Amino acid sequence: MQQYPGGGGPSDPYPPRAAEGRRDRRRRRNRRTAWAAGVVAAALVAGGGLLAHRLDAFSDNGEPMSFNQQNAADETAAGNGPDRRPAGPEVSLPTGPEARFVRANRLPDGTEIGRTTLRGGKSGFTGDVWVWTPKEYKDPRYARSGFPVLIALPGGHGYPTNYWMGTDLGLQQAVADGVEAGTSLPFIVVMPVINPDRKFYYDGSDIPGHPRMGTWMAEDVPDFVRANFRTFTSRDGWAFMGSSSGGYVGLKQVMAHPERFKAVIASGPETAPDSPLWKGHEKERRENDPEVLAQRIIDRKGPDVYVNFQIGTQENGKEKLDRFVRNWGKGPVHTTVRVIQGGAHNGRDYVRGMREGSLEWISKVLQAPVPGPAASAEG
């Protein structure tokens, strides 16, 4: 068996960083220390005009992190530690193995976005995944509760990064603000790449002769989430959001797997597969057509799925969304269209639409985490 620096082997879904990577991190820490000293000195000379928190010299991005650290004393005080049993049969505790995360970003409230590299056991594809958990996730009152999962997909090629991973578009902050206002559930936001390269659009599908991106999205990414986080066992805790091509992939996954995923916020999406790689594979293309898949759900009379389309007044495409709603938004396929006034085809406007109502909409159809009885009695 091939050995990897730091342990692990070919079957490990989370490839460890090489020894050279660890040396790079040590060098970065040393450089940050030197930079910090120089910047502080310069700031003193300049009268404090430099904003240190905006400088990369002070960033801890790229350092190892974990989402599973808990304060044992706080857990015991809240009546949760050391009891780590799930609060009920609907809760799925992490199954492992635990992924190796590095910090990718940090929000003002101290919550973090982590990045890991996932080797898909079912698709065979290896790609990066970013994850953010709200502050409630580490709250000892919720230590035995599951959390709903929102898989957030980017537009464009969605490779090698997922643009929702940063805080500049405000997706994570919108969720945090919604929780504070009582209009959003505290979602775990999972942000995988959706394409294997920049050459083509793969429609988040298993196109014959190409990387199995449909299996990556429908199976490997959820398996990874269940291995590392407290989630819900039923589809009531699983949903997608996405923009443009990512909106299509999210829509397709919910229509193709209604037994796994319950809802989607699809912003400015296509409603039919359009990758040039489908040429010569018409049968397989139809198997990945959300319109065909929606009709099957209607014919089977369920299960119920929920689609919230978003579209800006400054972009094209509303007519195809209206057509989908008119033809397939019936019976168990519940659809709505949110029109974003002044909105264009971009992530920032789509997050605005989520703040204006789409987050509240999806929160009403998904399962909420529940605090432990000891915390409820105190509250």
Short mmCIF file of all heavy atoms in Angstrom, two decimals, residues 138-204:
data_model
loop_
_atom_site.label_atom_id
_atom_site.label_comp_id
_atom_site.label_asym_id
_atom_site.label_seq_id
_atom_site.Cartn_x
_atom_site.Cartn_y
_atom_site.Cartn_z
N LYS A 138 -21.69 24.90 17.36
CA LYS A 138 -20.80 24.63 18.49
C LYS A 138 -21.40 25.05 19.83
O LYS A 138 -20.74 24.96 20.87
CB LYS A 138 -19.45 25.31 18.27
CG LYS A 138 -18.63 24.65 17.17
CD LYS A 138 -17.22 25.19 17.12
CE LYS A 138 -16.40 24.43 16.06
NZ LYS A 138 -15.01 24.93 15.99
N ASP A 139 -22.63 25.51 19.81
CA ASP A 139 -23.33 25.85 21.05
C ASP A 139 -23.63 24.54 21.79
O ASP A 139 -24.26 23.64 21.23
CB ASP A 139 -24.63 26.58 20.71
CG ASP A 139 -25.37 27.10 21.93
OD1 ASP A 139 -25.29 26.46 22.99
OD2 ASP A 139 -26.06 28.13 21.81
N PRO A 140 -23.19 24.39 23.05
CA PRO A 140 -23.40 23.13 23.77
C PRO A 140 -24.87 22.75 23.91
O PRO A 140 -25.18 21.57 24.08
CB PRO A 140 -22.76 23.39 25.14
CG PRO A 140 -22.56 24.86 25.24
CD PRO A 140 -22.40 25.36 23.84
N ARG A 141 -25.79 23.70 23.79
CA ARG A 141 -27.21 23.35 23.86
C ARG A 141 -27.64 22.47 22.69
O ARG A 141 -28.62 21.74 22.79
CB ARG A 141 -28.06 24.63 23.88
CG ARG A 141 -27.87 25.51 25.09
CD ARG A 141 -28.67 26.79 24.94
NE ARG A 141 -28.25 27.54 23.76
CZ ARG A 141 -28.92 28.58 23.26
NH1 ARG A 141 -30.07 28.96 23.80
NH2 ARG A 141 -28.45 29.22 22.20
N TYR A 142 -26.92 22.56 21.58
CA TYR A 142 -27.28 21.80 20.38
C TYR A 142 -26.34 20.63 20.13
O TYR A 142 -26.30 20.09 19.02
CB TYR A 142 -27.26 22.72 19.16
CG TYR A 142 -28.33 23.78 19.18
CD1 TYR A 142 -28.10 25.03 19.76
CD2 TYR A 142 -29.58 23.55 18.62
CE1 TYR A 142 -29.07 26.01 19.77
CE2 TYR A 142 -30.57 24.52 18.62
CZ TYR A 142 -30.31 25.75 19.20
OH TYR A 142 -31.29 26.71 19.22
N ALA A 143 -25.58 20.21 21.16
CA ALA A 143 -24.55 19.21 20.96
C ALA A 143 -25.11 17.85 20.55
O ALA A 143 -24.37 17.02 20.00
CB ALA A 143 -23.72 19.05 22.23
N ARG A 144 -26.38 17.61 20.79
CA ARG A 144 -26.98 16.31 20.42
C ARG A 144 -27.99 16.46 19.28
O ARG A 144 -28.70 15.51 18.96
CB ARG A 144 -27.65 15.71 21.65
CG ARG A 144 -26.67 15.35 22.76
CD ARG A 144 -27.39 14.92 24.02
NE ARG A 144 -28.25 13.77 23.77
CZ ARG A 144 -29.24 13.40 24.58
NH1 ARG A 144 -29.51 14.09 25.67
NH2 ARG A 144 -29.97 12.34 24.28
N SER A 145 -28.07 17.64 18.69
CA SER A 145 -29.05 17.88 17.63
C SER A 145 -28.42 17.82 16.25
O SER A 145 -27.24 18.13 16.07
CB SER A 145 -29.70 19.26 17.82
OG SER A 145 -30.60 19.55 16.75
N GLY A 146 -29.21 17.42 15.28
CA GLY A 146 -28.79 17.52 13.90
C GLY A 146 -28.99 18.93 13.38
O GLY A 146 -29.68 19.76 14.01
N PHE A 147 -28.39 19.24 12.23
CA PHE A 147 -28.54 20.54 11.58
C PHE A 147 -28.90 20.34 10.11
O PHE A 147 -28.43 19.39 9.48
CB PHE A 147 -27.24 21.35 11.68
CG PHE A 147 -27.06 22.05 13.00
CD1 PHE A 147 -26.73 21.33 14.14
CD2 PHE A 147 -27.25 23.41 13.11
CE1 PHE A 147 -26.59 21.96 15.37
CE2 PHE A 147 -27.11 24.06 14.33
CZ PHE A 147 -26.77 23.33 15.46
N PRO A 148 -29.73 21.23 9.56
CA PRO A 148 -30.04 21.13 8.13
C PRO A 148 -28.83 21.51 7.28
O PRO A 148 -28.01 22.34 7.68
CB PRO A 148 -31.18 22.13 7.95
CG PRO A 148 -30.95 23.15 9.04
CD PRO A 148 -30.38 22.38 10.20
N VAL A 149 -28.73 20.89 6.11
CA VAL A 149 -27.59 21.10 5.22
C VAL A 149 -28.06 21.82 3.96
O VAL A 149 -29.04 21.41 3.32
CB VAL A 149 -26.95 19.75 4.84
CG1 VAL A 149 -25.82 19.96 3.83
CG2 VAL A 149 -26.45 19.03 6.08
N LEU A 150 -27.36 22.90 3.62
CA LEU A 150 -27.62 23.64 2.38
C LEU A 150 -26.37 23.51 1.51
O LEU A 150 -25.31 24.06 1.85
CB LEU A 150 -27.91 25.10 2.70
CG LEU A 150 -28.40 25.99 1.55
CD1 LEU A 150 -29.74 25.49 1.01
CD2 LEU A 150 -28.51 27.44 1.99
N ILE A 151 -26.47 22.77 0.41
CA ILE A 151 -25.35 22.60 -0.51
C ILE A 151 -25.39 23.74 -1.52
O ILE A 151 -26.33 23.85 -2.31
CB ILE A 151 -25.42 21.23 -1.22
CG1 ILE A 151 -25.44 20.10 -0.18
CG2 ILE A 151 -24.24 21.07 -2.18
CD1 ILE A 151 -25.63 18.72 -0.77
N ALA A 152 -24.40 24.62 -1.46
CA ALA A 152 -24.39 25.85 -2.24
C ALA A 152 -23.47 25.70 -3.45
O ALA A 152 -22.28 25.41 -3.31
CB ALA A 152 -23.92 27.02 -1.37
N LEU A 153 -24.04 25.91 -4.64
CA LEU A 153 -23.31 25.66 -5.89
C LEU A 153 -23.11 26.95 -6.67
O LEU A 153 -24.04 27.75 -6.82
CB LEU A 153 -24.09 24.65 -6.74
CG LEU A 153 -24.44 23.33 -6.04
CD1 LEU A 153 -25.21 22.42 -6.99
CD2 LEU A 153 -23.20 22.65 -5.50
N PRO A 154 -21.91 27.15 -7.24
CA PRO A 154 -21.62 28.37 -7.98
C PRO A 154 -22.03 28.27 -9.43
O PRO A 154 -22.30 27.18 -9.95
CB PRO A 154 -20.10 28.46 -7.86
CG PRO A 154 -19.67 27.02 -7.91
CD PRO A 154 -20.74 26.26 -7.14
N GLY A 155 -22.02 29.41 -10.09
CA GLY A 155 -22.20 29.42 -11.53
C GLY A 155 -20.86 29.28 -12.24
O GLY A 155 -19.83 29.02 -11.62
N GLY A 156 -20.88 29.47 -13.55
CA GLY A 156 -19.66 29.30 -14.32
C GLY A 156 -19.20 27.86 -14.30
O GLY A 156 -19.99 26.94 -14.16
N HIS A 157 -17.89 27.66 -14.41
CA HIS A 157 -17.38 26.30 -14.41
C HIS A 157 -17.35 25.69 -13.02
O HIS A 157 -17.28 24.47 -12.88
CB HIS A 157 -15.97 26.28 -15.02
CG HIS A 157 -15.96 26.48 -16.50
ND1 HIS A 157 -15.75 27.71 -17.07
CD2 HIS A 157 -16.16 25.61 -17.53
CE1 HIS A 157 -15.81 27.59 -18.40
NE2 HIS A 157 -16.05 26.34 -18.70
N GLY A 158 -17.35 26.52 -11.98
CA GLY A 158 -17.34 25.98 -10.63
C GLY A 158 -16.12 25.14 -10.34
O GLY A 158 -16.19 24.16 -9.59
N TYR A 159 -14.99 25.53 -10.90
CA TYR A 159 -13.73 24.82 -10.71
C TYR A 159 -12.58 25.79 -10.99
O TYR A 159 -12.69 26.60 -11.92
CB TYR A 159 -13.62 23.63 -11.67
CG TYR A 159 -12.31 22.89 -11.58
CD1 TYR A 159 -12.13 21.84 -10.69
CD2 TYR A 159 -11.22 23.27 -12.37
CE1 TYR A 159 -10.91 21.19 -10.58
CE2 TYR A 159 -10.01 22.63 -12.27
CZ TYR A 159 -9.86 21.59 -11.38
OH TYR A 159 -8.66 20.94 -11.27
N PRO A 160 -11.51 25.80 -10.21
CA PRO A 160 -11.19 24.92 -9.07
C PRO A 160 -11.74 25.43 -7.74
O PRO A 160 -11.43 24.83 -6.71
CB PRO A 160 -9.66 24.93 -9.06
CG PRO A 160 -9.32 26.31 -9.53
CD PRO A 160 -10.37 26.66 -10.55
N THR A 161 -12.50 26.52 -7.76
CA THR A 161 -13.05 27.05 -6.52
C THR A 161 -14.57 27.14 -6.62
O THR A 161 -15.16 26.97 -7.68
CB THR A 161 -12.48 28.45 -6.22
OG1 THR A 161 -12.81 29.33 -7.30
CG2 THR A 161 -10.99 28.41 -6.03
N ASN A 162 -15.18 27.39 -5.49
CA ASN A 162 -16.62 27.63 -5.39
C ASN A 162 -16.75 29.04 -4.83
O ASN A 162 -16.31 29.30 -3.70
CB ASN A 162 -17.25 26.59 -4.45
CG ASN A 162 -18.74 26.78 -4.27
OD1 ASN A 162 -19.24 27.89 -4.12
ND2 ASN A 162 -19.49 25.69 -4.23
N TYR A 163 -17.34 29.98 -5.60
CA TYR A 163 -17.26 31.38 -5.17
C TYR A 163 -18.10 31.71 -3.95
O TYR A 163 -17.98 32.79 -3.38
CB TYR A 163 -17.56 32.34 -6.32
CG TYR A 163 -18.87 32.21 -7.06
CD1 TYR A 163 -20.11 32.24 -6.43
CD2 TYR A 163 -18.86 32.11 -8.45
CE1 TYR A 163 -21.29 32.17 -7.14
CE2 TYR A 163 -20.03 32.04 -9.17
CZ TYR A 163 -21.25 32.08 -8.52
OH TYR A 163 -22.42 32.01 -9.24
N TRP A 164 -18.93 30.78 -3.47
CA TRP A 164 -19.64 31.02 -2.22
C TRP A 164 -18.72 30.82 -1.01
O TRP A 164 -19.12 31.11 0.12
CB TRP A 164 -20.85 30.09 -2.09
CG TRP A 164 -21.86 30.25 -3.18
CD1 TRP A 164 -22.21 29.32 -4.11
CD2 TRP A 164 -22.68 31.39 -3.45
NE1 TRP A 164 -23.19 29.81 -4.95
CE2 TRP A 164 -23.48 31.08 -4.56
CE3 TRP A 164 -22.79 32.66 -2.86
CZ2 TRP A 164 -24.40 31.98 -5.10
CZ3 TRP A 164 -23.70 33.55 -3.39
CH2 TRP A 164 -24.49 33.22 -4.50
N MET A 165 -17.49 30.36 -1.23
CA MET A 165 -16.58 30.06 -0.11
C MET A 165 -16.12 31.32 0.59
O MET A 165 -15.66 31.26 1.74
CB MET A 165 -15.36 29.30 -0.62
CG MET A 165 -14.47 30.14 -1.52
SD MET A 165 -13.01 29.26 -2.05
CE MET A 165 -12.21 30.53 -3.06
N GLY A 166 -16.15 32.46 -0.10
CA GLY A 166 -15.70 33.70 0.52
C GLY A 166 -16.83 34.38 1.27
O GLY A 166 -17.99 34.00 1.18
N THR A 167 -16.50 35.41 2.03
CA THR A 167 -17.54 36.14 2.74
C THR A 167 -17.99 37.39 1.98
O THR A 167 -18.92 38.07 2.41
CB THR A 167 -17.02 36.57 4.12
OG1 THR A 167 -15.85 37.38 3.95
CG2 THR A 167 -16.66 35.36 4.97
N ASP A 168 -17.32 37.72 0.86
CA ASP A 168 -17.64 38.97 0.18
C ASP A 168 -19.03 38.98 -0.45
O ASP A 168 -19.67 40.02 -0.54
CB ASP A 168 -16.58 39.29 -0.88
CG ASP A 168 -16.38 38.17 -1.88
OD1 ASP A 168 -16.58 37.01 -1.51
OD2 ASP A 168 -16.04 38.47 -3.04
N LEU A 169 -19.54 37.81 -0.87
CA LEU A 169 -20.89 37.76 -1.42
C LEU A 169 -21.95 37.73 -0.32
O LEU A 169 -23.12 38.01 -0.59
CB LEU A 169 -21.06 36.54 -2.34
CG LEU A 169 -20.25 36.57 -3.63
CD1 LEU A 169 -20.47 35.29 -4.43
CD2 LEU A 169 -20.60 37.79 -4.47
N GLY A 170 -21.56 37.38 0.87
CA GLY A 170 -22.45 37.52 2.02
C GLY A 170 -23.40 36.37 2.27
O GLY A 170 -24.35 36.54 3.04
N LEU A 171 -23.19 35.21 1.65
CA LEU A 171 -24.12 34.10 1.85
C LEU A 171 -24.16 33.66 3.31
O LEU A 171 -25.23 33.53 3.91
CB LEU A 171 -23.74 32.91 0.96
CG LEU A 171 -24.53 31.62 1.19
CD1 LEU A 171 -26.02 31.83 0.94
CD2 LEU A 171 -24.00 30.49 0.31
N GLN A 172 -22.99 33.41 3.89
CA GLN A 172 -22.95 32.95 5.26
C GLN A 172 -23.49 34.01 6.22
O GLN A 172 -24.23 33.69 7.16
CB GLN A 172 -21.51 32.57 5.66
CG GLN A 172 -20.97 31.37 4.91
CD GLN A 172 -20.41 31.70 3.53
OE1 GLN A 172 -20.28 32.86 3.16
NE2 GLN A 172 -20.10 30.67 2.76
N GLN A 173 -23.16 35.27 5.96
CA GLN A 173 -23.66 36.34 6.82
C GLN A 173 -25.17 36.47 6.71
O GLN A 173 -25.85 36.77 7.69
CB GLN A 173 -22.99 37.68 6.46
CG GLN A 173 -23.23 38.77 7.49
CD GLN A 173 -22.65 38.43 8.84
OE1 GLN A 173 -21.46 38.10 8.95
NE2 GLN A 173 -23.47 38.49 9.88
N ALA A 174 -25.70 36.23 5.51
CA ALA A 174 -27.16 36.27 5.34
C ALA A 174 -27.84 35.21 6.19
O ALA A 174 -28.89 35.45 6.80
CB ALA A 174 -27.52 36.10 3.87
N VAL A 175 -27.24 34.01 6.23
CA VAL A 175 -27.80 32.95 7.08
C VAL A 175 -27.71 33.35 8.55
O VAL A 175 -28.68 33.23 9.31
CB VAL A 175 -27.07 31.62 6.83
CG1 VAL A 175 -27.53 30.55 7.83
CG2 VAL A 175 -27.31 31.13 5.41
N ALA A 176 -26.53 33.83 8.97
CA ALA A 176 -26.34 34.22 10.36
C ALA A 176 -27.31 35.33 10.77
O ALA A 176 -27.91 35.28 11.85
CB ALA A 176 -24.89 34.66 10.60
N ASP A 177 -27.49 36.32 9.90
CA ASP A 177 -28.42 37.40 10.20
C ASP A 177 -29.85 36.90 10.25
O ASP A 177 -30.67 37.35 11.06
CB ASP A 177 -28.30 38.52 9.15
CG ASP A 177 -26.97 39.26 9.23
OD1 ASP A 177 -26.27 39.11 10.26
OD2 ASP A 177 -26.63 39.98 8.26
N GLY A 178 -30.17 35.95 9.34
CA GLY A 178 -31.52 35.39 9.34
C GLY A 178 -31.81 34.59 10.60
O GLY A 178 -32.92 34.63 11.14
N VAL A 179 -30.82 33.87 11.11
CA VAL A 179 -31.00 33.14 12.37
C VAL A 179 -31.27 34.12 13.50
O VAL A 179 -32.17 33.93 14.32
CB VAL A 179 -29.75 32.28 12.68
CG1 VAL A 179 -29.88 31.64 14.05
CG2 VAL A 179 -29.56 31.21 11.61
N GLU A 180 -30.49 35.20 13.53
CA GLU A 180 -30.66 36.22 14.56
C GLU A 180 -32.05 36.85 14.51
O GLU A 180 -32.67 37.13 15.54
CB GLU A 180 -29.59 37.31 14.39
CG GLU A 180 -29.56 38.35 15.49
CD GLU A 180 -29.01 37.82 16.81
OE1 GLU A 180 -28.31 36.79 16.79
OE2 GLU A 180 -29.30 38.45 17.85
N ALA A 181 -32.55 37.03 13.28
CA ALA A 181 -33.87 37.66 13.10
C ALA A 181 -35.02 36.66 13.21
O ALA A 181 -36.19 37.06 13.20
CB ALA A 181 -33.93 38.36 11.74
N GLY A 182 -34.70 35.38 13.27
CA GLY A 182 -35.73 34.36 13.35
C GLY A 182 -36.36 34.01 12.02
O GLY A 182 -37.43 33.40 11.98
N THR A 183 -35.69 34.35 10.92
CA THR A 183 -36.24 34.08 9.59
C THR A 183 -35.50 32.98 8.84
O THR A 183 -35.89 32.61 7.75
CB THR A 183 -36.24 35.35 8.73
OG1 THR A 183 -34.89 35.86 8.64
CG2 THR A 183 -37.14 36.42 9.33
N SER A 184 -34.40 32.48 9.41
CA SER A 184 -33.62 31.44 8.74
C SER A 184 -33.22 30.37 9.75
O SER A 184 -32.95 30.67 10.92
CB SER A 184 -32.36 32.01 8.10
OG SER A 184 -31.54 30.97 7.57
N LEU A 185 -33.16 29.13 9.29
CA LEU A 185 -32.56 28.08 10.08
C LEU A 185 -31.04 28.23 10.08
O LEU A 185 -30.47 28.81 9.15
CB LEU A 185 -32.93 26.71 9.50
CG LEU A 185 -34.40 26.31 9.50
CD1 LEU A 185 -34.58 24.93 8.88
CD2 LEU A 185 -34.97 26.34 10.92
N PRO A 186 -30.36 27.72 11.10
CA PRO A 186 -28.89 27.76 11.11
C PRO A 186 -28.32 26.62 10.27
O PRO A 186 -27.99 25.55 10.75
CB PRO A 186 -28.56 27.58 12.60
CG PRO A 186 -29.70 26.78 13.14
CD PRO A 186 -30.92 27.20 12.36
N PHE A 187 -28.21 26.86 8.98
CA PHE A 187 -27.76 25.82 8.04
C PHE A 187 -26.27 25.56 8.15
O PHE A 187 -25.48 26.48 8.35
CB PHE A 187 -28.05 26.26 6.60
CG PHE A 187 -29.50 26.34 6.25
CD1 PHE A 187 -30.15 27.56 6.24
CD2 PHE A 187 -30.22 25.20 5.93
CE1 PHE A 187 -31.49 27.64 5.90
CE2 PHE A 187 -31.56 25.28 5.60
CZ PHE A 187 -32.20 26.50 5.58
N ILE A 188 -25.88 24.30 7.98
CA ILE A 188 -24.51 23.98 7.58
C ILE A 188 -24.44 24.24 6.08
O ILE A 188 -25.21 23.67 5.31
CB ILE A 188 -24.17 22.51 7.87
CG1 ILE A 188 -24.27 22.19 9.37
CG2 ILE A 188 -22.79 22.16 7.34
CD1 ILE A 188 -24.15 20.71 9.68
N VAL A 189 -23.54 25.11 5.66
CA VAL A 189 -23.42 25.46 4.24
C VAL A 189 -22.22 24.71 3.66
O VAL A 189 -21.08 24.89 4.11
CB VAL A 189 -23.26 26.97 4.03
CG1 VAL A 189 -23.15 27.29 2.53
CG2 VAL A 189 -24.46 27.72 4.63
N VAL A 190 -22.48 23.85 2.68
CA VAL A 190 -21.45 23.00 2.06
C VAL A 190 -21.25 23.46 0.63
O VAL A 190 -22.22 23.60 -0.13
CB VAL A 190 -21.88 21.52 2.10
CG1 VAL A 190 -20.82 20.64 1.46
CG2 VAL A 190 -22.16 21.09 3.54
N MET A 191 -19.99 23.71 0.24
CA MET A 191 -19.69 24.35 -1.04
C MET A 191 -18.67 23.54 -1.84
O MET A 191 -17.47 23.81 -1.79
CB MET A 191 -19.18 25.77 -0.78
CG MET A 191 -20.18 26.65 -0.06
SD MET A 191 -19.43 28.02 0.89
CE MET A 191 -18.97 27.17 2.41
N PRO A 192 -19.10 22.52 -2.58
CA PRO A 192 -18.17 21.72 -3.38
C PRO A 192 -17.91 22.35 -4.75
O PRO A 192 -18.69 23.18 -5.23
CB PRO A 192 -18.93 20.40 -3.54
CG PRO A 192 -20.37 20.83 -3.59
CD PRO A 192 -20.48 22.01 -2.65
N VAL A 193 -16.83 21.93 -5.39
CA VAL A 193 -16.67 22.25 -6.81
C VAL A 193 -17.72 21.44 -7.57
O VAL A 193 -18.17 20.38 -7.11
CB VAL A 193 -15.25 21.94 -7.32
CG1 VAL A 193 -14.21 22.79 -6.61
CG2 VAL A 193 -14.92 20.46 -7.17
N ILE A 194 -18.13 21.93 -8.74
CA ILE A 194 -19.16 21.21 -9.50
C ILE A 194 -18.66 20.69 -10.83
O ILE A 194 -19.37 19.93 -11.49
CB ILE A 194 -20.42 22.09 -9.71
CG1 ILE A 194 -20.11 23.30 -10.59
CG2 ILE A 194 -20.99 22.53 -8.39
CD1 ILE A 194 -21.36 24.09 -10.99
N ASN A 195 -17.46 21.08 -11.24
CA ASN A 195 -16.89 20.62 -12.50
C ASN A 195 -15.50 20.04 -12.26
O ASN A 195 -14.83 20.41 -11.29
CB ASN A 195 -16.77 21.77 -13.50
CG ASN A 195 -17.99 21.88 -14.40
OD1 ASN A 195 -18.86 21.04 -14.38
ND2 ASN A 195 -18.03 22.94 -15.18
N PRO A 196 -15.02 19.16 -13.13
CA PRO A 196 -13.68 18.60 -12.98
C PRO A 196 -12.58 19.44 -13.61
O PRO A 196 -11.40 19.18 -13.39
CB PRO A 196 -13.79 17.25 -13.69
CG PRO A 196 -14.79 17.48 -14.76
CD PRO A 196 -15.78 18.45 -14.18
N ASP A 197 -12.96 20.44 -14.41
CA ASP A 197 -11.97 21.28 -15.09
C ASP A 197 -12.67 22.49 -15.67
O ASP A 197 -13.87 22.70 -15.45
CB ASP A 197 -11.24 20.49 -16.19
CG ASP A 197 -12.19 19.83 -17.18
OD1 ASP A 197 -13.16 20.50 -17.63
OD2 ASP A 197 -12.00 18.64 -17.51
N ARG A 198 -11.94 23.30 -16.42
CA ARG A 198 -12.49 24.51 -17.02
C ARG A 198 -12.85 24.32 -18.50
O ARG A 198 -13.23 25.27 -19.17
CB ARG A 198 -11.48 25.66 -16.92
CG ARG A 198 -11.22 26.14 -15.50
CD ARG A 198 -10.18 27.26 -15.52
NE ARG A 198 -9.91 27.80 -14.21
CZ ARG A 198 -10.59 28.79 -13.64
NH1 ARG A 198 -11.61 29.32 -14.28
NH2 ARG A 198 -10.27 29.23 -12.44
N LYS A 199 -12.72 23.10 -19.02
CA LYS A 199 -12.89 22.90 -20.45
C LYS A 199 -14.34 22.98 -20.90
O LYS A 199 -14.66 23.59 -21.92
CB LYS A 199 -12.31 21.54 -20.86
CG LYS A 199 -10.81 21.41 -20.65
CD LYS A 199 -10.34 20.02 -21.02
CE LYS A 199 -8.85 19.83 -20.77
NZ LYS A 199 -8.41 18.45 -21.09
N PHE A 200 -15.23 22.32 -20.14
CA PHE A 200 -16.62 22.21 -20.56
C PHE A 200 -17.54 22.41 -19.36
O PHE A 200 -17.11 22.40 -18.21
CB PHE A 200 -16.90 20.81 -21.15
CG PHE A 200 -16.03 20.42 -22.29
CD1 PHE A 200 -14.98 19.53 -22.10
CD2 PHE A 200 -16.25 20.93 -23.56
CE1 PHE A 200 -14.16 19.15 -23.15
CE2 PHE A 200 -15.44 20.56 -24.61
CZ PHE A 200 -14.39 19.67 -24.42
N TYR A 201 -18.83 22.55 -19.66
CA TYR A 201 -19.85 22.42 -18.63
C TYR A 201 -20.27 20.95 -18.59
O TYR A 201 -20.57 20.36 -19.61
CB TYR A 201 -21.07 23.29 -18.94
CG TYR A 201 -20.78 24.77 -18.85
CD1 TYR A 201 -20.58 25.53 -19.98
CD2 TYR A 201 -20.71 25.40 -17.61
CE1 TYR A 201 -20.30 26.89 -19.90
CE2 TYR A 201 -20.43 26.75 -17.51
CZ TYR A 201 -20.23 27.49 -18.66
OH TYR A 201 -19.95 28.83 -18.57
N TYR A 202 -20.27 20.38 -17.41
CA TYR A 202 -20.59 18.96 -17.26
C TYR A 202 -22.00 18.76 -16.71
O TYR A 202 -22.41 17.63 -16.48
CB TYR A 202 -19.57 18.28 -16.36
CG TYR A 202 -18.20 18.15 -17.00
CD1 TYR A 202 -17.37 19.26 -17.13
CD2 TYR A 202 -17.75 16.94 -17.49
CE1 TYR A 202 -16.12 19.15 -17.72
CE2 TYR A 202 -16.49 16.82 -18.09
CZ TYR A 202 -15.68 17.94 -18.20
OH TYR A 202 -14.44 17.83 -18.79
N ASP A 203 -22.72 19.85 -16.48
CA ASP A 203 -24.12 19.79 -16.02
C ASP A 203 -24.29 19.05 -14.70
O ASP A 203 -25.38 18.60 -14.36
CB ASP A 203 -25.02 19.12 -17.08
CG ASP A 203 -25.40 20.09 -18.20
OD1 ASP A 203 -25.19 21.30 -18.03
OD2 ASP A 203 -25.89 19.62 -19.23
N GLY A 204 -23.21 18.89 -13.93
CA GLY A 204 -23.31 18.16 -12.66
C GLY A 204 -23.89 16.78 -12.86
O GLY A 204 -24.69 16.30 -12.05
#
